[in-house]
Amino acid sequence: MNQQVMTDYLLAAIHGFKAAGIKRAVISPGSRSTPLALLLHRDPEITCWIDVDERSAAFFALGMTKVDLQPTLLLCTSGTAAANYYPAICEAEATNLPLIVLTADRPPELRGVGAPQAMDQQSLYASHVKKMVEMTVPENTPNMLKYSFWQAATTTIEALKQPSGPVHLNFPLREPLLPDFTRICSIQQNIAYLPTQQSLPAAVLTELAPLFMKKGLLVVGESLTPSEAETLHALANHLGWPLVGDPLTNLATCGETSAYFLPQADLIFPQLDADFIPEVVLRFGRLPMTKNVLLWLSGLPEGIDWLFVDESGQWQDQLHRSAFLLQLTIEDFVEQVSKLPSRPQPEWFQPWQKLQAVAEEALATTHSLTEWNETAAVRILQQTLGHDAQLLLANSNAIRFVDRYGTVTGSAYQVFGNRGVNGIDGLISTVAGIAAASQKPTYLLIGDLAFFHDMNGLQLLKQYQLPVTIILLNNNGGGIFSFLSQNTLSESDFVPLFGTPLDLDFQQAAKLYGAKWHAPATLTDFASQIEQSLTTPCFQIIEVAGLQKDPVIAWQALQQEFQERISNENKR
């Protein structure tokens, strides 16, 4: 069984290398690299060269690449064999040559325990390679086969990007090391590999033009400027495709919006059936943080065309699905596509639009969203913020509340976030920087744990008298965990490890740093405070107190209301 799993996983990687343009390999024979060496050697599409001296083999591969500037695979076993590749790798880096270095390695359980031929290979070539990937121990689930293919293909493409250079993939392999050759045919028949291509110039959009006549879905992630958001709304109008994006995309708050935008995606996507499966998925940047969108996209069947637009060219596709990377700005991409013919299909979009309308009705009628609680306060905040304001969303519950309960607003204000690695630290200091650079009314929506992590940042607000209003959602701890599986734990486990109550009086923090402090008791009082901050901005903290379970109850109530309305619609 282990041989089948290992063989499938390595064959997926080899298909990825070939999809990215690999046609040759230089192999330094050894034990741990046996399965990769054999599978490469038997592949009719890859010409293999053998050199028992690793140092010589690496320079041999370098010489090949010098001739045509095409990538060459270089494979060795574990231990000092890999170290002997170092001089040629340094030369490849200095002369911008795309060597694809594959090193076999001991599995994790044999590292650091005195096993023979085991050494640190992850950081072996340090800064002399453009990219280093530590591959997983082989698995042959569909997702892991896509992962193996994807890493091989995109890492090779990274080596070819200008300036070109060497890359390193380290493969930890367990014994037995002989592959199962019977898997070669079956893996080709049963696994749908991506037709991965390198970054495509704008001119290629004319070749992809037929895709824009199909039924598609626009998926947007990462922070966008309001101008970029307006451009994507224009694209949705041109194509007639549903548009999905989280709060940081500014799609809901840019002012010029489209009827194709679905702000309630987290509510809608669990209700989608086979009729909603698109023919094309067009993505911009990373995935939205909306969990139900991620789950739905992850479960889409094969046979869909996936396009990925990313100005950076980094190809950060955690789903490993996009077949084309278009390294273009949003403006350049939309300008090109707007010149192509489109065929908006009302029968495609109308079911999406219907679900969005039902979601908005559910939002308006769910009782818990009209009571005084964190969730309802966030909804009021979104509806009250004025033109030209700025809102920084903390991670955990804060950004999720805005994502789930937000609607398209009449005012145009800009939303920010620290979603690169999704930490809860440094957010007060970040909003201080935003306010200092812009001199605009600025808001921070933050939970008590994240607030506690950066209370020193309050000194910046005090020192420079920055007009920042902090909306502090204080449910005394890690409220996000009440939504997660940890909420099934016993109280003795949940409270100290995940609930983590702080029992702090944040009014004292406001006093210490010279901030005005408010604790409204009704939604009307809260809205009044926000309205006043728009006309007379100042450094202040508005504390919204609640219980950790309250947001869960509100979300469940909204889901139930929505599902009941959907059921009633279907009965008509």
Side-chain angles (χ1 to χ4, degrees):
M1 180 63 179
N2 180 58
Q3 286 176 288
Q4 292 182 1
V5 171
M6 176 184 66
T7 304
D8 290 355
Y9 182 83
L10 296 181
L11 283 171
I14 290 171
H15 278 270
F17 289 128
K18 292 192 297 184
I22 293 291
K23 293 183 174 64
R24 64 193 174 210
V26 177
I27 299 172
S28 305
S31 176
R32 189 62 53 167
S33 56
T34 294
L36 269 169
L38 284 168
L39 293 172
L40 287 169
H41 195 251
R42 291 201 177 196
D43 194 307
E45 298 175 19
I46 296 180
T47 302
C48 291
W49 306 76
I50 314 299
D51 190 339
V52 297
D53 183 322
E54 283 84 8
R55 181 176 176 276
S56 175
F59 279 103
F60 181 71
L62 187 80
M64 285 185 160
T65 297
K66 279 181 179 292
V67 173
D68 56 12
L69 303 181
Q70 294 304 303
T72 303
L73 277 186
L74 186 57
L75 170 67
C76 72
T77 191
S78 61
T80 57
N84 279 284
Y85 281 168
Y86 209 156
I89 289 170
C90 293
E91 179 66 16
E93 180 217 4
T95 53
N96 304 126
L97 293 174
L99 285 185
I100 317 300
V101 183
L102 313 184
T103 55
D105 200 355
R106 262 46 182 173
E109 67 270 17
L110 294 182
R111 298 175 184 173
V113 293
Q117 229 173 311
M119 55 182 278
D120 179 8
Q121 295 181 194
Q122 288 87 351
S123 55
L124 181 60
Y125 306 124
S127 61
H128 294 288
V129 290
K130 291 182 68 178
K131 183 177 182 180
M132 187 275 162
V133 177
E134 171 70 4
M135 299 294 286
T136 65
V137 173
E139 297 181 38
N140 68 347
T141 62
N143 281 342
M144 292 309 294
L145 291 177
K146 287 177 185 174
Y147 162 86
S148 181
F149 175 93
W150 184 263
Q151 291 290 5
T154 56
T155 303
T156 302
I157 289 168
E158 180 65 27
L160 288 163
K161 285 182 187 175
Q162 296 299 321
S164 299
V167 294
H168 176 206
L169 295 94
N170 193 55
F171 285 81
L173 301 173
R174 292 191 175 109
E175 297 180 346
L177 295 170
L178 286 176
D180 181 350
F181 294 117
T182 66
R183 304 296 292 172
I184 293 176
C185 293
S186 63
I187 196 79
Q188 290 174 334
Q189 294 169 358
N190 297 332
I191 301 299
Y193 291 104
L194 299 171
T196 305
Q197 301 196 13
Q198 297 181 36
S199 301
L200 302 172
V204 83
L205 286 177
T206 56
E207 299 175 24
L208 299 177
L211 297 181
F212 302 116
M213 304 283 283
K214 296 184 176 182
K215 298 175 181 178
L217 175 67
L218 298 170
V219 181
V220 188
E222 301 207 72
S223 296
L224 301 182
T225 65
S227 175
E228 289 172 325
E230 289 180 8
T231 301
L232 288 175
H233 280 293
L235 177 63
N237 286 331
H238 176 69
L239 297 175
W241 290 0
L243 174 62
V244 174
D246 63 34
L248 300 188
T249 64
N250 283 287
L251 289 169
T253 56
C254 64
E256 296 294 328
T257 58
S258 160
Y260 293 92
F261 178 50
L262 306 174
Q264 263 63 61
D266 212 18
L267 199 59
I268 290 171
F269 271 66
Q271 305 296 323
L272 303 183
D273 57 24
D275 292 337
F276 292 86
I277 294 177
E279 296 171 303
V280 181
V281 176
L282 174 55
R283 286 189 45 208
F284 295 85
R286 297 183 188 182
L287 286 169
M289 46 74 58
T290 314
K291 186 173 183 179
N292 284 324
V293 172
L294 170 62
L295 292 173
W296 186 81
L297 291 172
S298 301
L300 285 177
E302 301 294 340
I304 296 170
D305 290 301
W306 293 69
L307 307 181
F308 189 41
V309 180
D310 181 11
E311 180 182 358
S312 73
Q314 292 180 294
W315 213 324
Q316 294 182 330
D317 179 9
Q318 72 183 76
L319 297 179
H320 312 137
R321 298 291 294 272
S322 53
F324 301 98
L325 170 66
L326 296 150
Q327 190 171 356
L328 297 165
T329 66
I330 289 173
E331 288 84 356
D332 287 344
F333 176 84
V334 174
E335 181 182 2
Q336 294 291 330
V337 172
S338 64
K339 298 174 183 176
L340 301 175
S342 63
R343 188 177 61 188
Q345 303 172 57
E347 72 279 5
W348 166 241
F349 176 67
Q350 284 172 355
W352 298 84
Q353 191 176 38
K354 181 178 179 181
L355 285 176
Q356 175 58 39
V358 175
E360 290 174 355
E361 292 172 2
L363 276 170
T365 56
T366 300
H367 182 65
S368 59
L369 297 182
T370 63
E371 300 175 327
W372 173 240
N373 55 54
E374 292 175 90
T375 303
V378 170
R379 187 158 164 75
I380 291 294
L381 172 67
Q382 295 170 271
Q383 295 170 341
T384 308
L385 281 182
H387 182 74
D388 225 22
Q390 301 174 128
L391 173 63
L392 175 64
L393 299 177
N395 294 312
S396 295
N397 270 345
I399 190 170
R400 286 171 174 82
F401 289 168
V402 175
D403 187 43
R404 286 172 176 164
Y405 303 104
T407 54
V408 174
T409 64
S411 298
Y413 58 87
Q414 188 163 2
V415 180
F416 298 91
N418 283 354
R419 292 295 292 181
V421 287
N422 303 352
I424 65 168
D425 45 348
L427 288 155
I428 296 175
S429 299
T430 300
V431 82
I434 291 171
S438 64
Q439 293 299 314
K440 295 179 179 179
T442 305
Y443 298 78
L444 170 62
L445 182 66
I446 190 169
D448 53 296
L449 282 184
F451 185 96
F452 169 73
H453 263 276
D454 194 28
M455 283 200 295
N456 284 347
L458 295 172
Q459 175 60 24
L460 290 167
L461 301 178
K462 174 188 177 184
Q463 182 175 344
Y464 294 106
Q465 286 300 294
L466 297 171
V468 173
T469 295
I470 298 175
I471 297 92
L472 172 60
L473 305 177
N474 184 8
N475 54 38
N476 198 24
I480 186 66
F481 290 104
S482 295
F483 283 97
L484 306 178
S485 59
Q486 290 90 337
N487 67 9
T488 61
L489 295 168
S490 66
E491 187 173 330
S492 60
D493 286 325
F494 180 83
V495 173
L497 291 173
F498 304 103
T500 57
L502 297 175
D503 298 317
L504 292 177
D505 182 354
F506 290 106
Q507 185 176 4
Q508 299 303 315
K511 183 178 180 180
L512 177 64
Y513 289 100
K516 294 181 179 179
W517 182 81
H518 309 278
T522 66
L523 289 176
T524 302
D525 290 344
F526 177 75
S528 176
Q529 292 290 341
I530 299 300
E531 289 170 355
Q532 185 176 346
S533 71
L534 291 169
T535 55
T536 55
C538 64
F539 173 28
Q540 61 181 335
I541 299 171
I542 302 175
E543 182 173 342
V544 180
L547 301 175
Q548 292 184 19
K549 65 180 181 179
D550 290 347
V552 178
I553 294 171
W555 176 236
Q556 290 173 341
L558 177 59
Q559 288 176 306
Q560 183 177 350
E561 177 75 15
F562 179 64
Q563 289 168 358
E564 288 177 356
R565 287 180 172 274
I566 292 294
S567 297
N568 292 336
E569 287 286 334
N570 292 335
K571 292 175 183 177
R572 292 178 183 175

